[in-house]
Amino acid sequence: VAPNLVAFNWEELPVFFGCAVFSFEGIGLVLPIQHAMQHPTHFPKILQQAMLILATLFSTFSLAGYAAYGSETRDMITFNIPQNKITSFLRL
């Protein structure tokens, strides 16, 4: 675990909201998907479950990356991995 972990970084709060909005972007698909369903009344429950799963995955991955690299965590987590042929391919 990185030694210089900060519980909350107020200076980066706008960046957090920008990334969060971008991660959950897709509102333009909500109505067409609901319209195409056989049972459109089930859509709110399915959407809620999908958002919960995505939030859990994003939070787990981001917390693991921050715990590993601390304040040295870069914007794209793959930039923290030491560079070699395989990791250079991952950065594409």
Side-chain angles (χ1 to χ4, degrees):
V1 176
N4 54 353
L5 296 180
V6 177
F8 197 83
N9 186 354
W10 289 101
E11 288 115 19
E12 297 294 326
L13 189 64
V15 175
F16 163 75
F17 281 114
C19 290
V21 169
F22 177 77
S23 296
F24 289 99
E25 192 272 324
I27 193 67
L29 295 174
V30 170
L31 292 177
I33 290 172
Q34 185 178 14
H35 181 71
M37 292 177 67
Q38 287 182 351
H39 303 286
T41 57
H42 295 173
F43 184 74
K45 182 74 171 170
I46 294 170
L47 181 63
Q48 180 183 16
Q49 291 172 350
M51 289 295 131
L52 183 63
I53 290 169
L54 283 173
T56 303
L57 284 173
F58 289 152
S59 298
T60 302
F61 188 74
S62 63
L63 289 173
Y66 187 63
Y69 299 111
S71 64
E72 299 298 317
T73 304
R74 298 171 89 186
D75 292 337
M76 290 182 61
I77 196 71
T78 55
F79 290 155
N80 287 93
I81 301 171
Q83 190 171 1
N84 60 35
K85 289 183 180 181
I86 295 172
T87 57
S88 293
F89 178 74
L90 290 174
R91 292 180 184 196
L92 296 177

